[in-house]
Amino acid sequence: MIALLWLLGCAPKAPPPAPDVPHALTILHTNDIHAHFEPAPAEWLDGHPAIGGFVRLEQEVRALRAARGAPQTLTLDGGDQLTGTPITEINADGSFGGAMHGFLDAIHYDAWVVGNHEFDKGLDNLTHYVENHPVLPLSCNLLRLGSTLPLLPRQEPSHVFAIAGMRVGVIGVTTQELGGLMKGSEFGRLTLLPEIPAVQAEVDRLDPVTDLIVVLSHIGVDNDKALASAVKGIDLIVGAHSHTRLTAAIQVGDTYIVQAGSYNRSLGVVDLVEQDDHITSFHYELHDLLPDTATVPPDPKLEGMVATYKAEIDHVYGEHVSDAPALLGRSYNHESPLGRWITDGIRDRTGVDIALYNAGGLRADIDAGPVSRLTLFQCFPFQNPVMRFQLTGAQIAGMVALNVTAETDEKSGFLSTSGLSWTWRKSGGVPTVVSVLVDGQPLDPARTYAIAANSYVTEQWQKHLGPDAKPQNVEPLGYTDLDVAVDYARKKPVVDPGNVRAVLLP
Ligand SMILES: [Zn+2]
């Protein structure tokens, strides 16, 4: 009867909704920890001091939770927890890298988003990584093959946290470049949806039942900006993947974007006030985790965990293999001392005409001082098999043309080379190759050359070698890039070989 009266317009009018009260919330966030459980060098600070690590991170989180009131805080990680130190070579709690999740559990994170490097030890390993730990994995676009179900156990596309008197929807999204970033055979085992429509669908679903929408994104800061423009209704994007140290939030329309660098060295701290479905006050700070700025004592349990893993790693990786008289740095867009050194090492070991190594595979600089197996592991943590294959001179010319373009486009990585050199110039802003030499002789377009590279280059050959340079007669040589690095370092001190390969003409 009441329903009928309502339909007829006879029911008493519902009172207008009471005005919402302001709700304060603090979001603490990290991203791209990459297995860095101990302090790591902060290259943006004078003298590159080692900062951060889980002990120091936990101190900062504990102090902030106490200051804000624990129920008022949400602690999130933006993914790429794995690969970067040998801690992911240890099987802990049923998976390689399980130790990393152990730390996140101990710090009581609320949720994290699955990054591309979580797949480095394969999908089966990631499944065990996720199922043995309580912190909630999110991703709205990673699905089981040919299904609409989440890929991983316990994974949710999004989760609504009832916290600080409001409903906070947190949506996870994983980079749609995943296919180009992981092993092809493993990528064939899942379904990946495009980022923007997948997030839009979750926002549409959550908007009516939440007061605040946060996207926990592993897509990189440029794609975060595109996402904020394309999808209305996102209040905050907590970012990752591009390793961007944002010391101030970016604003796109009504959406804030934050990101906390990489390697467990900084904590992002967002303090916001929500009222009537909108952020009415927003404050963001990036806290660099300097050793001497902690305001609470270290947690003995975490100190013990770090010491245990450190001892296990030192036992295997502590061996002193060489010395570096000076820093060997790396670069993503340009030729670098470390890129020259590893490609010279690969050519020395294999005897090929040309050795190659991709920029994204160079993960740490070699500092001046003693060089241990651990030092080299941190440079080449993926332990890719070294592959031998063939390319024609014409294909190599195309590859060099791609490589000079990389020097003027910060998104494309530079392919380090040994045995191959070239001159180039910027004619009217356009990078142009002038001459190409192999072992000092002009490149012969008709000849077939012997090449060696880490397997990432051959697996992702379209990206690194160019669309016309499919490697021929690919064969694994039975050892990894890390094996090459260790053996080459044993032979002689680790120094920049010089002998510049990419010469920019005036
Ligand atoms: Zn990533």
Side-chain angles (χ1 to χ4, degrees), residues 350-364:
T350 57
V352 294
D353 300 311
I354 297 167
L356 307 172
Y357 202 93
N358 67 297
L362 306 171
R363 302 298 280 194

Side-chain angles (χ1 to χ4, degrees), residues 89 121 183 317 341-343 345-350 356-357 361 373 376-388 452-456 475-489:
E89 303 305 301
K121 297 277 182 201
K183 276 206 176 90
Y317 292 87
W341 183 79
I342 188 62
T343 50
I346 292 172
R347 196 158 66 103
D348 181 74
R349 175 79 172 253
T350 57
L356 307 172
Y357 202 93
R373 187 179 278 273
L376 296 169
F377 180 94
Q378 286 176 335
C379 296
F380 313 108
F382 302 111
Q383 301 176 76
N384 285 161
V386 176
M387 311 299 275
R388 190 187 162 104
N454 54 317
S455 61
Y456 193 72
E475 55 165 325
L477 294 175
Y479 46 83
T480 68
D481 48 8
L482 179 61
D483 297 331
V484 169
V486 170
D487 293 344
Y488 195 51

Side-chain angles (χ1 to χ4, degrees), residues 51-362:
I51 71 170
F54 280 121
V55 171
R56 180 65 187 84
L57 174 69
E58 190 277 339
Q59 290 173 280
E60 196 75 3
V61 168
R62 185 162 23 112
L64 286 163
R65 281 182 185 150
R68 305 299 200 271
Q72 309 279 103
T73 64
L74 204 53
T75 307
L76 306 173
D77 181 68
D80 275 5
Q81 294 162 2
L82 300 189
T83 311
T85 76
I87 201 166
T88 53
E89 303 305 301
I90 298 171
N91 192 321
D93 301 329
S95 67
F96 290 97
M100 291 299 294
H101 223 316
F103 284 111
L104 298 191
D105 298 344
I107 298 174
H108 303 292
Y109 274 71
D110 294 289
W112 66 287
V113 61
V114 182
N116 49 298
H117 283 290
E118 267 65 78
F119 293 89
D120 286 350
K121 297 277 182 201
L123 177 56
D124 293 337
N125 189 72
L126 176 56
T127 300
H128 294 306
Y129 183 70
V130 163
E131 69 192 353
N132 292 334
H133 293 281
V135 183
L136 182 67
L138 297 175
S139 179
C140 67
N141 58 336
L142 269 181
L143 305 175
R144 287 193 214 165
L145 188 62
S147 158
T148 55
L149 295 171
L151 176 66
L152 301 167
R154 300 177 45 253
Q155 176 194 335
E156 296 178 21
S158 62
H159 189 83
V160 180
F161 292 89
I163 186 167
M166 63 177 149
R167 300 157 301 171
V168 182
V170 182
I171 301 166
V173 60
T174 303
T175 173
Q176 66 191 32
E177 293 158 9
L178 188 63
L181 296 170
M182 65 188 279
K183 276 206 176 90
S185 55
E186 288 289 291
F187 187 64
R189 299 177 61 195
L190 57 90
T191 294
L192 181 70
L193 304 178
E195 295 153 4
I196 289 174
V199 172
Q200 179 77 63
E202 282 305 303
V203 170
D204 292 347
R205 204 169 66 79
L206 292 184
D207 204 25
V209 295
T210 57
D211 304 294
L212 191 77
I213 291 185
V214 177
V215 174
L216 183 55
S217 134
H218 195 93
I219 67 175
V221 70
D222 290 340
N223 294 320
D224 287 336
K225 292 180 202 167
L227 182 68
S229 320
V231 179
K232 295 294 158 241
I234 302 173
D235 296 294
L236 170 66
I237 298 177
V238 174
H241 186 54
S242 50
H243 294 204
T244 311
R245 262 180 60 75
L246 287 180
T247 52
I250 296 169
Q251 237 188 311
V252 176
D254 293 332
T255 306
Y256 295 92
I257 301 171
V258 296
Q259 194 178 145
S262 63
Y263 294 179
N264 205 356
R265 298 172 293 184
S266 311
L267 176 69
V269 182
V270 171
D271 287 297
L272 62 83
V273 176
E274 178 275 342
Q275 188 171 11
D276 290 320
D277 247 5
H278 292 289
I279 291 178
T280 54
S281 159
F282 186 90
H283 184 79
Y284 166 72
E285 270 180 19
L286 192 61
H287 290 201
D288 286 339
L289 301 170
L290 301 167
D292 53 1
T293 54
T295 56
V296 296
D299 179 283
K301 181 186 163 197
L302 276 159
E303 284 186 315
M305 287 168 70
V306 167
T308 303
Y309 288 118
K310 185 174 157 46
E312 196 168 334
I313 289 168
D314 282 351
H315 182 67
V316 180
Y317 292 87
E319 182 199 356
H320 174 245
V321 293
S322 193
D323 291 283
L327 169 83
L328 261 80
R330 72 210 145 103
S331 165
Y332 190 71
N333 293 111
H334 305 288
E335 187 175 331
S336 66
L338 187 63
R340 287 193 281 263
W341 183 79
I342 188 62
T343 50
D344 278 9
I346 292 172
R347 196 158 66 103
D348 181 74
R349 175 79 172 253
T350 57
V352 294
D353 300 311
I354 297 167
L356 307 172
Y357 202 93
N358 67 297
L362 306 171

